[in-house]
Amino acid sequence: MSDITIEGDVKAQQGIRFNIFQLNQTYLGTDASLNIGPKGFTGEKYGGSTYWDTEAYCIPFYMATKDQSVARTLLEYRYEHLEKAIENAAKLGFKNGAALYPMVTMNGEECHNEWEITFEEIHRNGAIAFAIFNYFRFTEDYSYIPEKGLEVLIGIARFWHQRVNFSSDKEKFVMLGVTGPNEYENNINNNFYTNYIAKWCIEYALENIDIVKNDHISDYIRIKEKVNITDEELASWKNVAGNMYFPFSEKHNVYLQQDGFLDKELITVADLDKSQRPINRNGVGIEFYVLRT
């Protein structure tokens, strides 16, 4: 069920099977208080903490190769940490049940020690919501959303709603001071991915609030009373999602990674000095951006 065969490349075949073995060994899916260490049992780096890697990269493997209860248990792990995510957001000034899931955690609290990551690499919040969507898309088990998932989606949507601010110059909602998922550049404005996942999370939360309201009325009443959601708040969410700013180049007719992207010196990989390769080890802080050839 979980094998991947690669013909003609023995090292790649050994590598993929080693990783499959690690995924099978490090997580069984029987305990919602446990999660997946980033390096499995291959080493001590990261100390067995939980990252957003679980939702972004690991859950699809378990959905495709195991009983759906295994992936559902991974979703329940984040539900059990929802109150801690709300506390994490409150420490940064967010209110009304806004939830910011941690970059690194053992018990739901933020355990990362670099402020740029903790405060700015907030796209991780989107991965938590997308995993709920991905689980339903793959398994067609909607029951998780009215039972537990919708509360998580509401907390995440509240965070994104509060994290943006309205730009009178652009007449759009913008998101300042973030680090995008490539992790190369800290404290930039309007990273496309981060803005888009924020918009998507809010719209997905709104969509599921309507579904639960219409098809799971007892769950809707319970959740509404618990989180104190109002029509006025939902209307404000919709306004933010519908008016999110995305950096765009009229000249090149393309969306940009972030504000100021075209201000960089653009250079192809072929023209990049070998001393700067690989850029994930040598390129942090360089003032140009590498284009694919």
Side-chain angles (χ1 to χ4, degrees):
M1 284 295 295
S2 61
D3 191 25
I4 297 173
T5 56
I6 301 174
E7 297 180 357
D9 191 332
V10 175
K11 289 183 177 181
Q13 180 68 86
Q14 183 182 36
I16 196 68
R17 285 180 173 160
F18 178 74
N19 281 281
I20 290 169
F21 167 73
Q22 291 296 328
L23 286 167
N24 284 328
Q25 177 177 250
T26 193
Y27 188 74
L28 298 178
T30 58
D31 188 340
S33 69
L34 301 177
N35 209 280
I36 302 159
K39 293 185 72 66
F41 294 113
T42 66
E44 296 180 359
K45 188 175 182 181
Y46 303 122
S49 298
T50 299
Y51 281 67
W52 64 290
D53 304 48
T54 290
E55 282 75 18
Y57 306 114
C58 299
I59 279 182
F61 170 82
Y62 295 107
M63 287 193 299
T65 65
K66 305 291 182 289
D67 182 85
Q68 69 185 44
S69 64
V70 175
R72 183 176 174 126
T73 301
L74 283 170
L75 298 184
E76 290 173 353
Y77 174 90
R78 297 296 188 179
Y79 175 77
E80 296 300 324
H81 286 178
L82 177 56
E83 289 306 313
K84 288 292 186 182
I86 292 172
E87 289 179 18
N88 291 336
K91 291 175 182 177
L92 301 180
F94 298 94
K95 304 174 182 177
N96 191 36
L100 176 60
Y101 279 90
M103 186 70 179
V104 181
T105 194
M106 288 287 190
N107 64 350
E109 294 178 288
E110 179 61 73
C111 298
H112 205 286
N113 61 359
E114 295 179 27
W115 70 267
E116 296 98 332
I117 301 290
T118 303
F119 298 159
E120 296 184 353
E121 202 167 328
I122 51 178
H123 58 82
R124 62 186 186 260
N125 233 21
I128 310 302
F130 189 82
I132 296 172
F133 162 79
N134 218 11
Y135 172 80
F136 170 62
R137 177 171 63 172
F138 193 90
T139 67
E140 297 184 345
D141 172 22
Y142 191 79
S143 66
Y144 177 75
I145 293 177
E147 291 174 13
K148 298 182 177 182
L150 186 57
E151 293 178 51
V152 174
L153 295 176
I154 289 171
I156 290 172
R158 280 174 161 167
F159 172 82
W160 291 125
H161 173 250
Q162 294 177 40
R163 182 58 175 77
V164 299
N165 60 277
F166 187 75
S167 166
S168 57
D169 178 62
K170 294 180 172 61
E171 296 186 341
K172 294 284 185 180
F173 288 94
V174 297
M175 199 177 312
L176 310 179
V178 303
T179 297
N182 69 4
E183 298 188 339
Y184 277 110
E185 297 168 282
N186 296 322
N187 203 29
I188 56 89
N189 297 331
N190 296 307
N191 174 265
F192 181 93
Y193 179 92
T194 307
N195 284 22
Y196 189 87
I197 200 67
K199 170 186 170 69
W200 181 90
C201 286
I202 292 171
E203 291 176 340
Y204 188 59
L206 289 168
E207 174 188 333
N208 282 281
I209 287 171
D210 284 341
I211 293 172
V212 174
K213 182 178 182 179
N214 293 325
D215 299 340
H216 305 270
I217 186 63
S218 61
D219 287 303
Y220 175 76
I221 293 171
R222 171 182 56 82
I223 294 168
K224 183 178 181 181
E225 291 178 352
K226 183 176 181 180
V227 305
N228 193 30
I229 200 80
T230 66
D231 291 341
E232 291 77 14
E233 182 180 2
L234 299 182
S236 185
W237 290 7
K238 188 174 181 180
N239 182 44
V240 167
N243 292 282
M244 189 73 73
Y245 168 75
F246 298 102
F248 184 79
S249 168
E250 298 287 349
K251 177 180 178 181
H252 299 287
N253 194 34
V254 65
Y255 284 101
L256 303 177
Q257 177 173 287
Q258 68 220 20
D259 283 351
F261 181 86
L262 293 179
D263 295 334
K264 300 173 181 293
E265 178 185 353
L266 303 179
I267 184 171
T268 65
V269 172
D271 294 327
L272 183 64
D273 190 276
K274 290 183 179 180
S275 66
Q276 295 293 332
R277 305 182 197 175
I279 49 177
N280 69 321
R281 295 181 183 177
N282 300 295
V284 176
I286 56 179
E287 293 302 322
F288 51 80
Y289 203 88
V290 181
L291 300 176
R292 292 177 184 267
T293 53

